[in-house]
DNA sequence: TTGTACTGTAATAAAGTCGATTACAGAATG
DNA sequence: CATTCTGTAATCGACTTTATTACAGTACAA
């Protein structure tokens, strides 16, 4: 994925982590990221579906982390926003009459999985708290 | 990068590797990938600029690998097609009045670099010959 | 020496993707 | 019950990607 959603989601989570349990409104978050509030709500909705965020509707509502920042791995953020594969979706429809074309998607998928494994390994070792700690 | 160009370039190189020095025409390659020949020539042009492919113009022309497949690392293919960063370009322009927004791009860049390092490490260990060997 | 089969590349069009925006229903609070 | 939030659908425009057309240049071979 070369996904603009990863930085957005991480930004949201970082703000929530730094707010220490206080509910933040989507408009406030959108103001920090400088994007449209509806996009923020969509990402929040997605992060909530993945169990990373809890929200409260209505007046004085907003969102907060579902668990403490040291219990949220960056690999979870990756999984939450990931849709396509890492290096490019092998969505070409190669010629089945060609020996290479016939097999390449399967081998590409295998390659992507290996690489994604290495990436996830890295992200698993980092928590949201680790990320936040870099901020002064 | 979630780049459709990586699978295309790797497909091209795999075909050339399996052709064992024989010149392959861009139309033939395009037929195997099932995409437009002009796109293939553009990718070939790029791979040639990166020293991975040599081409011969004119009748009976075509392309071939610039070195043997076991001397081509998949990390070179990655570098050849890479333009944007891996997980998403941190091109948001966050609010500088927000303490998180002010610093996040710098920390995102750092994170991407670490992850890309892990990915490249994996790709460096694999040659085009390794990849081709999986085909039956 | 000329037709043919290629590459190389620019320019344009078509298709697909992504983010911004509008709109509005529903929920919680005071 | 007005206000301030969330949740979500729908649409528009900007951007990106891919396909297509066009054509000049090169090498070969008859």
């Amino acid at each position: 994925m070369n996904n603009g959603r990863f930085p957005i989601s991480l930004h949201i989570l970082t703000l929530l982590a730094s707010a220490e349990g206080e509910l933040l409104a989507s408009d406030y978050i959108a103001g920090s990221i400088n994007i449209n509030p509806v996009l923020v709500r969509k990402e929040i909705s997605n992060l909530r579906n993945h169990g990373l965020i809890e929200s409260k509707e209505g007046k004085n509502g907003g969102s907060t982390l579902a668990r403490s920042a040291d219990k949220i791995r960056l690999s979870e953020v990756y999984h939450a926003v990931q849709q396509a594969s890492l290096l490019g979706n092998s969505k070409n429809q190669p010629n089945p009459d060609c020996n290479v074309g016939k097999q390449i998607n399967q081998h590409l998928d295998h390659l992507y999985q290996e690489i994604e494994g290495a990436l996830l390994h890295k992200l698993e070792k980092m928590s949201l708290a680790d990320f936040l700690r870099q901020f002064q």
Side-chain angles (χ1 to χ4, degrees), chain A:
Chain A
M1 67 160 199
N2 188 13
N3 201 321
R5 289 175 53 207
F6 181 84
I8 290 175
S9 280
L10 188 51
H11 196 142
I12 293 170
L13 291 165
T14 303
L15 284 170
L16 297 183
S18 73
E20 295 173 350
E22 194 186 340
L23 289 172
L24 296 188
S26 61
D27 278 44
Y28 172 81
I29 296 173
S32 169
I33 311 183
N34 200 23
I35 61 172
N36 194 283
V38 175
L39 246 197
V40 172
R41 291 191 211 125
K42 272 187 193 159
E43 283 312 313
I44 284 176
S45 166
N46 179 57
L47 292 167
R48 188 171 51 241
N49 290 337
H50 284 82
L52 298 176
I53 280 184
E54 282 168 1
S55 305
K56 187 185 164 198
E57 293 189 6
K59 196 172 179 179
N60 299 328
S63 297
T64 185
L65 293 182
R67 328 168 214 146
S68 66
D70 63 327
K71 296 213 174 61
I72 293 179
R73 303 276 123 197
L74 295 195
S75 52
E76 297 180 89
V77 184
Y78 176 83
H79 279 128
V81 301
Q82 184 213 27
Q83 41 200 9
S85 86
L86 183 69
L87 285 178
N89 24 31
S90 55
K91 69 176 173 198
N92 291 327
Q93 307 190 331
N95 187 343
D97 298 333
C98 167
N99 191 48
V100 168
K102 191 169 48 184
Q103 301 181 56
I104 195 159
N105 276 346
Q106 152 194 359
H107 298 312
L108 280 172
D109 284 340
H110 179 248
L111 177 62
Y112 296 160
Q113 274 183 17
E114 269 208 53
I115 289 166
E116 192 169 45
L119 178 141
L120 283 173
H121 184 70
K122 213 61 174 163
L123 288 177
E124 253 156 40
K125 290 192 295 192
M126 288 189 241
S127 72
L128 180 57
D130 294 333
F131 188 71
L132 179 63
R133 199 169 298 125
Q134 299 176 287
F135 288 76
Q136 285 153 358

PDB file of all heavy atoms in Angstrom, chain A residues 21-45:
ATOM      1  N   GLY A  21      -6.925  10.162  27.161  1.00  0.00           N
ATOM      2  CA  GLY A  21      -8.262   9.774  27.606  1.00  0.00           C
ATOM      3  C   GLY A  21      -9.350  10.796  27.364  1.00  0.00           C
ATOM      4  O   GLY A  21     -10.532  10.469  27.361  1.00  0.00           O
ATOM      5  N   GLU A  22      -8.941  12.025  27.155  1.00  0.00           N
ATOM      6  CA  GLU A  22      -9.917  13.065  26.846  1.00  0.00           C
ATOM      7  C   GLU A  22     -10.544  12.793  25.473  1.00  0.00           C
ATOM      8  O   GLU A  22      -9.861  12.340  24.566  1.00  0.00           O
ATOM      9  CB  GLU A  22      -9.166  14.408  26.821  1.00  0.00           C
ATOM     10  CG  GLU A  22     -10.036  15.638  26.844  1.00  0.00           C
ATOM     11  CD  GLU A  22      -9.166  16.889  26.676  1.00  0.00           C
ATOM     12  OE1 GLU A  22      -7.929  16.789  26.939  1.00  0.00           O
ATOM     13  OE2 GLU A  22      -9.691  17.925  26.286  1.00  0.00           O
ATOM     14  N   LEU A  23     -11.839  13.085  25.356  1.00  0.00           N
ATOM     15  CA  LEU A  23     -12.515  12.885  24.072  1.00  0.00           C
ATOM     16  C   LEU A  23     -12.143  14.010  23.107  1.00  0.00           C
ATOM     17  O   LEU A  23     -12.248  15.186  23.446  1.00  0.00           O
ATOM     18  CB  LEU A  23     -14.036  12.872  24.263  1.00  0.00           C
ATOM     19  CG  LEU A  23     -14.639  11.650  24.969  1.00  0.00           C
ATOM     20  CD1 LEU A  23     -16.112  11.876  25.265  1.00  0.00           C
ATOM     21  CD2 LEU A  23     -14.446  10.403  24.123  1.00  0.00           C
ATOM     22  N   LEU A  24     -11.726  13.641  21.900  1.00  0.00           N
ATOM     23  CA  LEU A  24     -11.422  14.655  20.891  1.00  0.00           C
ATOM     24  C   LEU A  24     -12.462  14.600  19.776  1.00  0.00           C
ATOM     25  O   LEU A  24     -12.804  13.524  19.298  1.00  0.00           O
ATOM     26  CB  LEU A  24     -10.025  14.421  20.300  1.00  0.00           C
ATOM     27  CG  LEU A  24      -8.829  14.559  21.247  1.00  0.00           C
ATOM     28  CD1 LEU A  24      -7.526  14.492  20.454  1.00  0.00           C
ATOM     29  CD2 LEU A  24      -8.898  15.866  22.034  1.00  0.00           C
ATOM     30  N   ALA A  25     -12.933  15.760  19.363  1.00  0.00           N
ATOM     31  CA  ALA A  25     -13.924  15.840  18.288  1.00  0.00           C
ATOM     32  C   ALA A  25     -13.246  15.723  16.935  1.00  0.00           C
ATOM     33  O   ALA A  25     -12.091  16.134  16.769  1.00  0.00           O
ATOM     34  CB  ALA A  25     -14.690  17.158  18.383  1.00  0.00           C
ATOM     35  N   SER A  26     -13.978  15.185  15.985  1.00  0.00           N
ATOM     36  CA  SER A  26     -13.399  14.968  14.654  1.00  0.00           C
ATOM     37  C   SER A  26     -13.003  16.291  13.994  1.00  0.00           C
ATOM     38  O   SER A  26     -12.036  16.335  13.236  1.00  0.00           O
ATOM     39  CB  SER A  26     -14.369  14.197  13.766  1.00  0.00           C
ATOM     40  OG  SER A  26     -15.573  14.916  13.597  1.00  0.00           O
ATOM     41  N   ASP A  27     -13.735  17.352  14.295  1.00  0.00           N
ATOM     42  CA  ASP A  27     -13.375  18.639  13.709  1.00  0.00           C
ATOM     43  C   ASP A  27     -12.040  19.148  14.256  1.00  0.00           C
ATOM     44  O   ASP A  27     -11.239  19.739  13.518  1.00  0.00           O
ATOM     45  CB  ASP A  27     -14.475  19.681  13.968  1.00  0.00           C
ATOM     46  CG  ASP A  27     -15.609  19.550  12.965  1.00  0.00           C
ATOM     47  OD1 ASP A  27     -16.027  18.415  12.690  1.00  0.00           O
ATOM     48  OD2 ASP A  27     -16.054  20.592  12.435  1.00  0.00           O
ATOM     49  N   TYR A  28     -11.820  18.896  15.516  1.00  0.00           N
ATOM     50  CA  TYR A  28     -10.543  19.298  16.104  1.00  0.00           C
ATOM     51  C   TYR A  28      -9.394  18.513  15.467  1.00  0.00           C
ATOM     52  O   TYR A  28      -8.362  19.082  15.084  1.00  0.00           O
ATOM     53  CB  TYR A  28     -10.565  19.070  17.617  1.00  0.00           C
ATOM     54  CG  TYR A  28      -9.221  19.280  18.277  1.00  0.00           C
ATOM     55  CD1 TYR A  28      -8.776  20.553  18.592  1.00  0.00           C
ATOM     56  CD2 TYR A  28      -8.379  18.190  18.529  1.00  0.00           C
ATOM     57  CE1 TYR A  28      -7.529  20.754  19.172  1.00  0.00           C
ATOM     58  CE2 TYR A  28      -7.133  18.383  19.113  1.00  0.00           C
ATOM     59  CZ  TYR A  28      -6.712  19.654  19.430  1.00  0.00           C
ATOM     60  OH  TYR A  28      -5.478  19.852  19.992  1.00  0.00           O
ATOM     61  N   ILE A  29      -9.591  17.217  15.344  1.00  0.00           N
ATOM     62  CA  ILE A  29      -8.570  16.362  14.741  1.00  0.00           C
ATOM     63  C   ILE A  29      -8.304  16.783  13.302  1.00  0.00           C
ATOM     64  O   ILE A  29      -7.152  16.910  12.872  1.00  0.00           O
ATOM     65  CB  ILE A  29      -9.016  14.881  14.804  1.00  0.00           C
ATOM     66  CG1 ILE A  29      -9.121  14.432  16.270  1.00  0.00           C
ATOM     67  CG2 ILE A  29      -8.057  13.989  14.031  1.00  0.00           C
ATOM     68  CD1 ILE A  29      -9.703  13.045  16.447  1.00  0.00           C
ATOM     69  N   ALA A  30      -9.403  17.030  12.577  1.00  0.00           N
ATOM     70  CA  ALA A  30      -9.257  17.458  11.180  1.00  0.00           C
ATOM     71  C   ALA A  30      -8.447  18.748  11.088  1.00  0.00           C
ATOM     72  O   ALA A  30      -7.682  18.946  10.142  1.00  0.00           O
ATOM     73  CB  ALA A  30     -10.633  17.643  10.546  1.00  0.00           C
ATOM     74  N   GLY A  31      -8.625  19.610  12.087  1.00  0.00           N
ATOM     75  CA  GLY A  31      -7.870  20.856  12.104  1.00  0.00           C
ATOM     76  C   GLY A  31      -6.383  20.635  12.283  1.00  0.00           C
ATOM     77  O   GLY A  31      -5.566  21.370  11.730  1.00  0.00           O
ATOM     78  N   SER A  32      -6.015  19.612  13.036  1.00  0.00           N
ATOM     79  CA  SER A  32      -4.596  19.325  13.238  1.00  0.00           C
ATOM     80  C   SER A  32      -3.970  18.706  11.990  1.00  0.00           C
ATOM     81  O   SER A  32      -2.853  19.032  11.603  1.00  0.00           O
ATOM     82  CB  SER A  32      -4.401  18.389  14.432  1.00  0.00           C
ATOM     83  OG  SER A  32      -3.066  17.911  14.469  1.00  0.00           O
ATOM     84  N   ILE A  33      -4.716  17.804  11.365  1.00  0.00           N
ATOM     85  CA  ILE A  33      -4.187  17.152  10.165  1.00  0.00           C
ATOM     86  C   ILE A  33      -4.319  18.067   8.953  1.00  0.00           C
ATOM     87  O   ILE A  33      -3.589  17.936   7.974  1.00  0.00           O
ATOM     88  CB  ILE A  33      -4.924  15.819   9.886  1.00  0.00           C
ATOM     89  CG1 ILE A  33      -4.999  14.965  11.161  1.00  0.00           C
ATOM     90  CG2 ILE A  33      -4.233  15.045   8.791  1.00  0.00           C
ATOM     91  CD1 ILE A  33      -5.641  13.625  10.948  1.00  0.00           C
ATOM     92  N   ASN A  34      -5.284  18.954   9.045  1.00  0.00           N
ATOM     93  CA  ASN A  34      -5.574  19.867   7.934  1.00  0.00           C
ATOM     94  C   ASN A  34      -6.205  19.140   6.761  1.00  0.00           C
ATOM     95  O   ASN A  34      -5.802  19.311   5.610  1.00  0.00           O
ATOM     96  CB  ASN A  34      -4.308  20.607   7.511  1.00  0.00           C
ATOM     97  CG  ASN A  34      -4.604  21.867   6.728  1.00  0.00           C
ATOM     98  OD1 ASN A  34      -5.692  22.429   6.852  1.00  0.00           O
ATOM     99  ND2 ASN A  34      -3.667  22.289   5.918  1.00  0.00           N
ATOM    100  N   ILE A  35      -7.163  18.300   7.072  1.00  0.00           N
ATOM    101  CA  ILE A  35      -7.961  17.639   6.040  1.00  0.00           C
ATOM    102  C   ILE A  35      -9.432  17.758   6.413  1.00  0.00           C
ATOM    103  O   ILE A  35      -9.775  18.269   7.477  1.00  0.00           O
ATOM    104  CB  ILE A  35      -7.603  16.146   5.871  1.00  0.00           C
ATOM    105  CG1 ILE A  35      -7.868  15.390   7.169  1.00  0.00           C
ATOM    106  CG2 ILE A  35      -6.183  15.975   5.416  1.00  0.00           C
ATOM    107  CD1 ILE A  35      -7.715  13.899   7.033  1.00  0.00           C
ATOM    108  N   ASN A  36     -10.288  17.251   5.552  1.00  0.00           N
ATOM    109  CA  ASN A  36     -11.719  17.376   5.759  1.00  0.00           C
ATOM    110  C   ASN A  36     -12.215  16.478   6.911  1.00  0.00           C
ATOM    111  O   ASN A  36     -11.852  15.303   6.983  1.00  0.00           O
ATOM    112  CB  ASN A  36     -12.439  17.004   4.459  1.00  0.00           C
ATOM    113  CG  ASN A  36     -13.885  17.428   4.485  1.00  0.00           C
ATOM    114  OD1 ASN A  36     -14.700  16.773   5.121  1.00  0.00           O
ATOM    115  ND2 ASN A  36     -14.191  18.520   3.820  1.00  0.00           N
ATOM    116  N   PRO A  37     -13.072  17.027   7.771  1.00  0.00           N
ATOM    117  CA  PRO A  37     -13.568  16.266   8.925  1.00  0.00           C
ATOM    118  C   PRO A  37     -14.255  14.956   8.552  1.00  0.00           C
ATOM    119  O   PRO A  37     -14.178  13.987   9.321  1.00  0.00           O
ATOM    120  CB  PRO A  37     -14.586  17.214   9.567  1.00  0.00           C
ATOM    121  CG  PRO A  37     -14.195  18.572   9.125  1.00  0.00           C
ATOM    122  CD  PRO A  37     -13.571  18.414   7.770  1.00  0.00           C
ATOM    123  N   VAL A  38     -14.904  14.913   7.393  1.00  0.00           N
ATOM    124  CA  VAL A  38     -15.583  13.679   7.008  1.00  0.00           C
ATOM    125  C   VAL A  38     -14.583  12.548   6.795  1.00  0.00           C
ATOM    126  O   VAL A  38     -14.834  11.407   7.171  1.00  0.00           O
ATOM    127  CB  VAL A  38     -16.427  13.896   5.737  1.00  0.00           C
ATOM    128  CG1 VAL A  38     -17.031  12.593   5.262  1.00  0.00           C
ATOM    129  CG2 VAL A  38     -17.517  14.915   5.997  1.00  0.00           C
ATOM    130  N   LEU A  39     -13.448  12.902   6.226  1.00  0.00           N
ATOM    131  CA  LEU A  39     -12.388  11.899   6.048  1.00  0.00           C
ATOM    132  C   LEU A  39     -11.933  11.375   7.399  1.00  0.00           C
ATOM    133  O   LEU A  39     -11.691  10.183   7.577  1.00  0.00           O
ATOM    134  CB  LEU A  39     -11.196  12.516   5.329  1.00  0.00           C
ATOM    135  CG  LEU A  39     -10.828  12.019   3.938  1.00  0.00           C
ATOM    136  CD1 LEU A  39      -9.427  12.440   3.603  1.00  0.00           C
ATOM    137  CD2 LEU A  39     -10.962  10.516   3.849  1.00  0.00           C
ATOM    138  N   VAL A  40     -11.798  12.288   8.351  1.00  0.00           N
ATOM    139  CA  VAL A  40     -11.387  11.883   9.696  1.00  0.00           C
ATOM    140  C   VAL A  40     -12.400  10.916  10.290  1.00  0.00           C
ATOM    141  O   VAL A  40     -12.031   9.880  10.846  1.00  0.00           O
ATOM    142  CB  VAL A  40     -11.229  13.118  10.606  1.00  0.00           C
ATOM    143  CG1 VAL A  40     -10.990  12.698  12.036  1.00  0.00           C
ATOM    144  CG2 VAL A  40     -10.086  13.989  10.107  1.00  0.00           C
ATOM    145  N   ARG A  41     -13.685  11.238  10.131  1.00  0.00           N
ATOM    146  CA  ARG A  41     -14.700  10.344  10.697  1.00  0.00           C
ATOM    147  C   ARG A  41     -14.680   8.984  10.038  1.00  0.00           C
ATOM    148  O   ARG A  41     -14.892   7.962  10.682  1.00  0.00           O
ATOM    149  CB  ARG A  41     -16.094  10.977  10.553  1.00  0.00           C
ATOM    150  CG  ARG A  41     -16.232  12.180  11.445  1.00  0.00           C
ATOM    151  CD  ARG A  41     -17.658  12.669  11.547  1.00  0.00           C
ATOM    152  NE  ARG A  41     -17.667  14.121  11.740  1.00  0.00           N
ATOM    153  CZ  ARG A  41     -18.304  14.986  10.976  1.00  0.00           C
ATOM    154  NH1 ARG A  41     -19.044  14.558   9.964  1.00  0.00           N
ATOM    155  NH2 ARG A  41     -18.237  16.266  11.227  1.00  0.00           N
ATOM    156  N   LYS A  42     -14.399   8.971   8.743  1.00  0.00           N
ATOM    157  CA  LYS A  42     -14.309   7.680   8.057  1.00  0.00           C
ATOM    158  C   LYS A  42     -13.162   6.856   8.612  1.00  0.00           C
ATOM    159  O   LYS A  42     -13.284   5.647   8.843  1.00  0.00           O
ATOM    160  CB  LYS A  42     -14.103   7.888   6.555  1.00  0.00           C
ATOM    161  CG  LYS A  42     -15.385   8.018   5.775  1.00  0.00           C
ATOM    162  CD  LYS A  42     -15.071   8.055   4.281  1.00  0.00           C
ATOM    163  CE  LYS A  42     -16.310   8.506   3.481  1.00  0.00           C
ATOM    164  NZ  LYS A  42     -15.934   9.033   2.140  1.00  0.00           N
ATOM    165  N   GLU A  43     -12.023   7.499   8.821  1.00  0.00           N
ATOM    166  CA  GLU A  43     -10.875   6.771   9.361  1.00  0.00           C
ATOM    167  C   GLU A  43     -11.144   6.323  10.776  1.00  0.00           C
ATOM    168  O   GLU A  43     -10.773   5.222  11.186  1.00  0.00           O
ATOM    169  CB  GLU A  43      -9.617   7.633   9.304  1.00  0.00           C
ATOM    170  CG  GLU A  43      -9.002   7.734   7.924  1.00  0.00           C
ATOM    171  CD  GLU A  43      -8.855   6.385   7.245  1.00  0.00           C
ATOM    172  OE1 GLU A  43      -8.382   5.424   7.862  1.00  0.00           O
ATOM    173  OE2 GLU A  43      -9.241   6.286   6.066  1.00  0.00           O
ATOM    174  N   ILE A  44     -11.784   7.196  11.542  1.00  0.00           N
ATOM    175  CA  ILE A  44     -12.129   6.839  12.915  1.00  0.00           C
ATOM    176  C   ILE A  44     -13.072   5.642  12.913  1.00  0.00           C
ATOM    177  O   ILE A  44     -12.917   4.698  13.689  1.00  0.00           O
ATOM    178  CB  ILE A  44     -12.761   8.042  13.638  1.00  0.00           C
ATOM    179  CG1 ILE A  44     -11.651   9.040  14.008  1.00  0.00           C
ATOM    180  CG2 ILE A  44     -13.532   7.602  14.874  1.00  0.00           C
ATOM    181  CD1 ILE A  44     -12.164  10.312  14.648  1.00  0.00           C
ATOM    182  N   SER A  45     -14.042   5.675  11.999  1.00  0.00           N
ATOM    183  CA  SER A  45     -14.974   4.564  11.883  1.00  0.00           C
ATOM    184  C   SER A  45     -14.231   3.260  11.613  1.00  0.00           C
ATOM    185  O   SER A  45     -14.509   2.213  12.205  1.00  0.00           O
ATOM    186  CB  SER A  45     -15.963   4.866  10.758  1.00  0.00           C
ATOM    187  OG  SER A  45     -16.660   3.708  10.392  1.00  0.00           O
TER     188      SER A  45
END
